[in-house]
Structure formats: structure tokens, C-alpha cells
């Protein structure tokens, strides 16, 4: 009689998990300590990615509101005189005729300084420029007034001024009706603008009406900047047409900029710092993985009897290997899960304090999970192989 | 003699010219022939270092002989791969150790149930069978106790329950009373006698002459050789 060859049983997934978890349940302090490294690594990476994503989402949200369809044209520097040239009067009206342009406006830089009063020395400009502005500027920039009114056909003829947000702060003006000294006379503040992220040069300006500038400030009426707001999708075409429309004779000198692109570039530039922190997180994760591996090696040494017993109960080498890899995986996943929660909380807390929309990208969570699984497997493999190689009889020997 | 101990049962253990040499030239077993038949209860005695544990490991397929043939429950051990030997242990062999080897912090019930893990039974079945077998060894009221809440004798009975839970063809015990006082040791031996009366084939290593004297068959080892065997003497 010949007996059939014995075949080892396959453990169910639940039994594999139970056996793997059994080794952790009896050593809770060690579990916490060795999972901590992984938790810190994952938390760092998730929060770095989350905070940077929240920042980008914030820029995107602001851009969506401000629009990415604003173009600013400025004249080049004259080759003959070396001075900054100006466009011909009415250049903004010409720009408006380009198909796809919905709003256009012009500003003209004025020569006089802007001061709180005539007692302040003339050199003390505070970085504020006086500019003439067309009535259409506010709508073109989608700007808002914090106080007072905007320039119009009526007040634009009188010595009235609207201050940009930064200019108002530097001049210490917080209410309308105050007077500021421009060039050689006082102007009455009739409005203060809210911040304009797409036009920081306007934030730093004191704006007078076009006619008032000609009348009181010797303005020649030639625009030094033309703003054009185009319809959806028309920006690139408008960009191509703008130079030769507003300056047909020297189109090559006209400089056209897209302020939203600058804002986007600034947001992208914060990425370099992010990479550094991400690298730090990766190092923490690696150290965490080494910690798990170390815990597992110690665990295998300590649990020789258990391994021997399991072999005597019929565990194959594969069963023992699987048990220790599972244990290492659980340890690592535990740390990873804690890290994800911590990282998400840190992102939420930072976003809340900085007024950003909290974003934790799904890819960062999946990448964190994948990294955790990979580290758990790698850290557990060597100890597991050692455990499985242990001879059952030596494992069972009482020391 | 009871029919259970009749030597006419089919052989469970057949050793032929088994040698075991450890690195360094120590011959722990120097040519052992031994047959154990179904239903037998055998004491393995001999001085320290005579090769008793080595013999038990080889019979229990935890180790392979350097030479000679080992047949356990009809399987030629040399023909089986490591994983097949593991399966053989899971299905046909039960072990009891001097130091119990119970998992700390785990209830008696789960310690016994885990003994069935590698037989492929589902958890519910393992728990049910563990409860039944704990009742058989007299620990019905200690199932939820963890090892440190059990006396030495109770621990060994739980360990025996774990060893017999899968209904093994052969139960191997290495000094099961070695760590126990006389009363607990007697209770453990009484349990083993009961199991044998119920049909389990048992081999027990012991140093204790009184205990050995109570067993139907005694195999004496010295320097890796069988120097006396009551079964062979009777034959
Ligand atoms: N792993 C090993 N490596 C080397 N020699 C060993 C090993 N295990 C046992 N031996 C030797 O083999 C011989 C038999 O050992 P074994 O453990 O079988 O004796 P024993 O009869 O069980 O003794 P005891 O009654 O003290 O338990 C001894 O000389 C021992 O030193
Ligand atoms: Mg021994």
C-alpha cells in the first residue's frame, strides 16, 4: 500500500492576516515605535504634497476669478532717444477693434511725484507713480473699489484721484475726501481700489482722469500701457494682432505680457522647495523602513520557539515566510495609514490657517500606500527568509 | 492486554538502520531499527545524551537521518520534500514538549485552535474542535485562560490538547512531565493513558523510571543504540 503524498493546506487570506497580526498584538509598544518612522515619512510627504497642491489650487482659484485673458501692451524703448516711448493717443480704442477683445483701457505715466502733502520732500515718493487712466480701466481689470467711486466723465475732469491699494496704504490714506499732493497741487481722493493681483503696477499708482491729467499735470495724452481683455480662447490670437494694431509702424518694439502667466510661474517656482521637503520625507520613510526591518529581525530571533512550534504543527517554510512578511506589511501599513491621516490633518490645518482650499491629491495617497506596501515587503523579506530557514529542531531547543 | 496495544496493528513508525551524525562527528543515533504499531504506547528511556530527543525529532520528521530509512504513517520520509513533510506533520503527527510552547497572551482555546491552523480547517471548525478536545483533557472551565493564568499541569494538558486536536496517527512527547511536580505529572500521564486507551499511538521520552514502568512498552537507548526493547524481548 502506498499512501498519497501529503499536501500542505493553503491558508485563507483571513488566516494569513490573523497570524500576521498575532505577532503584533502581543507587542503593542514595539509596534507603535517601529511604525512611527513610516508614519513620520508618509505624513511629511503627504503634507508637503498637500500643502503645495493647496497652494496651487488657490492660485488656480484666483486665476479663475481674475481670468487668464488679460494682456498688457507697453511700448519699447526708443532707439533714437533711449527714452521709453508712448503709444499714439487712442491706442486703446484701436485695440478694442480687434476681434475678440471685449474691454480695453489705457494708462499714461505722469511725471510728477505723489506725496501726502507738500511738506514731504520730493524724493520721498514711496514707490508710488501718478498715472492717468481711462474710465474703462476698472472694468478691463475686473477691479473693485474698496471705498468711494471710480473715475468717470464728470469727476475725471477735476483734480480727483483714485488710489491703488498699496498706494493708499503707503500714503496712509484710508478714507475718501482726503487730499494728496501730486506734482505741484493737491488732488482729492474719491476712491480706493481693492487689491489687483493681475496688475500690481496699478496697486502702486495714484490714478487721475485722462482729461484732468492733461489739464493739471501736463499730460500729453499718449498711453504708456494698453490693457486688453479678450473673450475665451481668443487670447493667443489677440496677442499676435495687438502689436501691429496699436503701433503699425514699430510693431516689433511693442512688448505684450500676460500677467496671469507670471502669477502661474510664481506658483510653479515654489516647487523647488517642495522637492527638497519631499526628499526629506523620503529619507524619513527609508529610515522608517530600516526600523521595521530591524524590529522584524529582532522579532525572528526572539520567536525561535514559536517558529519551531509552528513548523512542528505543520507550517511549511512558505507559511512561515508569509507570516513574517504579512507581519512586516501590517506594521508598515499601520504606520502608513497613521501617516496619511496625520499628513492630511496637517494639510487641512495649514490650509485653514492660510486661507487656502485644502487639497490632498489622490495620487499622493495611492503613491504613499504603494510606498508603504513596497517598504513593508522589502523590510520583511530578509527576516522572513531567515525565519523560514530556521531548522525546526534548533528552534525548539530549550536554551 | 487491550486490543489497542496489540502489536499486530499496522506499523506507524518503521526505522531501519537509522544513523544521525551531527557536524563534528557526534553520532547521536548509531544504527537504530524500531517499529511502532498503531495503538502502541511506548516509553523511550536512556541516559542524558543517549539520543532520545534526536530519535523523536527523526520520527517526528522535524529532522532527517544521515542514513537509513524512515517510514512514518506509510510515507518514506526520504521521498518527501520539506513542504510535504510539513503537511505530514499537520495531518498525522502531534508533539508535546517539556516546556509546553504555548503562545503567551493567547487563550487556551485559541492556542489549541491554532494547532489546527495548518490542517486547512476554517476558523469556526478549529475553535469548535479545540473546545471539544479541551473538554476531553479536563480544561472545559479554563478555555478563556491565558497560559500565565494556568498551572504547569494545566499548561501541559492544554499543550496535549493542541497536539491531539487534529487526531494524529502518532503523538510524540519529549519529557512531558519534566517541568511538573509529581501530582501534575501523574495527571498528565493518566491523560496520556486515557488517550492511548482511546486508540492514539503514543511515544513518550522520560527520565522517570516510575513513569516508564507504567507504560506497556519500553525502549532503552544508550550511545545512540537501542540496548533493550520490551516488545522485541517479548517477541
Ligand atoms: N544540534 C546538535 N548539534 C550537535 N550535536 C547535537 C545536536 N543535538 C544533539 N546533539 C548531540 O547528540 C547527542 C544526543 O542528543 P539528544 O538531545 O538526542 O540526547 P537526549 O537523549 O535527548 O538527552 P537528554 O536526556 O539530556 O535530553 C548528544 O551527544 C548531543 O550533544
Ligand atoms: Mg532530550
Amino acid at each position: 500500500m502506498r499512501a498519497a503524498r501529503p499536501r500542505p493546506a493553503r491558508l485563507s487570506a483571513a488566516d494569513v492576516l490573523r497570524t500576521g497580526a498575532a505577532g503584533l498584538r502581543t507587542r503593542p509598544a514595539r509596534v507603535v515605535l517601529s511604525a512611527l518612522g513610516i508614519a513620520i515619512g508618509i505624513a511629511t510627504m503627504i503634507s508637503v504634497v498637500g500643502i503645495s497642491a493647496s497652494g496651487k489650487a488657490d492660485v488656480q482659484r484666483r486665476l479663475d476669478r481674475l481670468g487668464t485673458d488679460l494682456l498688457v501692451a507697453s511700448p519699447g524703448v526708443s532707439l533714437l532717444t533711449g527714452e521709453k516711448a508712448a503709444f499714439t493717443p487712442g491706442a486703446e480704442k484701436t485695440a478694442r477693434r480687434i476681434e475678440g477683445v471685449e474691454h480695453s483701457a489705457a494708462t499714461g505715466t505722469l511725471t510728477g511725484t505723489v506725496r501726502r502733502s507738500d511738506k514731504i520732500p520730493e524724493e520721498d515718493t514711496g514707490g508710488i507713480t501718478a498715472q492717468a487712466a481711462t474710465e474703462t480701466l476698472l472694468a478691463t481689470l475686473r477691479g473693485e473699489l474698496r471705498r468711494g467711486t471710480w473715475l468717470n466723465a464728470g469727476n475725471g475732469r477735476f483734480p480727483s484721484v483714485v488710489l491703488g491699494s498699496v498706494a493708499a496704504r503707503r500714503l496712509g490714506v484710508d478714507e475718501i475726501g482726503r487730499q494728496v499732493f501730486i506734482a505741484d497741487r493737491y488732488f482729492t481722493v474719491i476712491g480706493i481700489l481693492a487689491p489687483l493681483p493681475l496688475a500690481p503696477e496699478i496697486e502702486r499708482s495714484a490714478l487721475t482722469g485722462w482729461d484732468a491729467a492733461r489739464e493739471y499735470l501736463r499730460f500729453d495724452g499718449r498711453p504708456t500701457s494698453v490693457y486688453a481683455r479678450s473673450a475665451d480662447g481668443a487670447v493667443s490670437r489677440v496677442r499676435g494682432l495687438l502689436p501691429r494694431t496699436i503701433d503699425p509702424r514699430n510693431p516689433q518694439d511693442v512688448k505684450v505680457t500676460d500677467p496671469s502667466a507670471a502669477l502661474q510661474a510664481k506658483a510653479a517656482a515654489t516647487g523647488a522647495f517642495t522637492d527638497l521637503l519631499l526628499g526629506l520625507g523620503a529619507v524619513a520613510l527609508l529610515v522608517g523602513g530600516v526600523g521595521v526591518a530591524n524590529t522584524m529581525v529582532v522579532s525572528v530571533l526572539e520567536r525561535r520557539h514559536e517558529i519551531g512550534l509552528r513548523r512542528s504543527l505543520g507550517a511549511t517554510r512558505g507559511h512561515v515566510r508569509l507570516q513574517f512578511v504579512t507581519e512586516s506589511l501590517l506594521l508598515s501599513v499601520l504606520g502608513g495609514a497613521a501617516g496619511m491621516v496625520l499628513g492630511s490633518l496637517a494639510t487641512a490645518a495649514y490650509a485653514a490657517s492660510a486661507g487656502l482650499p485644502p487639497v490632498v491629491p489622490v495620487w499622493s495617497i495611492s503613491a504613499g500606500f504603494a510606498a508603504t506596501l513596497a517598504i513593508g515587503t522589502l523590510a520583511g523579506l530578509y527576516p522572513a527568509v531567515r525565519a523560514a530557514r530556521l531548522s525546526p529542531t534548533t528552534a525548539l531547543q530549550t536554551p | 492486554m487491550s486490543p489497542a496495544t496489540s502489536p499486530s496493528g499496522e506499523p506507524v513508525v518503521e526505522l531501519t538502520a537509522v544513523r544521525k551524525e551531527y557536524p563534528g562527528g557526534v553520532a547521536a543515533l548509531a544504527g537504530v531499527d524500531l517499529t511502532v504499531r498503531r495503538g502502541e504506547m511506548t516509553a523511550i528511556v536512556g541516559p542524558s545524551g543517549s539520543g532520545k530527543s534526536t530519535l523523536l525529532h527523526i520520527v517526528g520528521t522535524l529532522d532527517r537521518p544521515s542514513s537509513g530509512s524512515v517510514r512514518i504513517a506509510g510515507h518514506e520520509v526520504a521521498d518527501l520534500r520539506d513542504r510535504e513533510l510539513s503537511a505530514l506533520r499537520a495531518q498525522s503527527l502531534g508533539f508535546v514538549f517539556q516546556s509546553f510552547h504555548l503562545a503567551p497572551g493567547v487563550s487556551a482555546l485559541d492556542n489549541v485552535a491554532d494547532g489546527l491552523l495548518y490542517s486547512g480547517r476554517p476558523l469556526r471548525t478549529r475553535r469548535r474542535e479545540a473546545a471539544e478536545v479541551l473538554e476531553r483533557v479536563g480544561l472545559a472551565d479554563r478555555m478563556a485562560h491565558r497560559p500565565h493564568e494556568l498551572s504547569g499541569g494545566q499548561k501541559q494538558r492544554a499543550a496535549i490538547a493542541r497536539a491531539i486536536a487534529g487526531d494524529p496517527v502518532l503523538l510524540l512527547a519529549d519529557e512531558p512531565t519534566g517541568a511538573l511536580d509529581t501530582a501534575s505529572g501523574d495527571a498528565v500521564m493518566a491523560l496520556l493513558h486515557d488517550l492511548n486507551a482511546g486508540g492514539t499511538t503514543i511515544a513518550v521520552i522520560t527520565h522517570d523510571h516510575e513513569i516508564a514502568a507504567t507504560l506497556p512498552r519500553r525502549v532503552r537507548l544508550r550511545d545512540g543504540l537501542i540496548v533493550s526493547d520490551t516488545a522485541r524481548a517479548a517477541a
Side-chain angles (χ1 to χ4, degrees), chain A residues 4-5 15 310-311 314 398, chain B residues 75 79 82 84 89 118 126:
Chain A
R5 298 175 85 87
D15 280 337
R310 287 185 185 276
R311 296 284 274 136
T398 18
Chain B
H75 297 279
D79 292 346
D82 189 75
E84 291 168 330
R89 291 195 291 273
Y118 303 101
R126 299 202 299 266

Side-chain angles (χ1 to χ4, degrees), chain B residues 52-54 174-175 205 207:
Chain B
K52 305 182 297 292
S53 295
T54 305
D174 195 344
E175 308 217 30
I205 293 179
H207 265 127

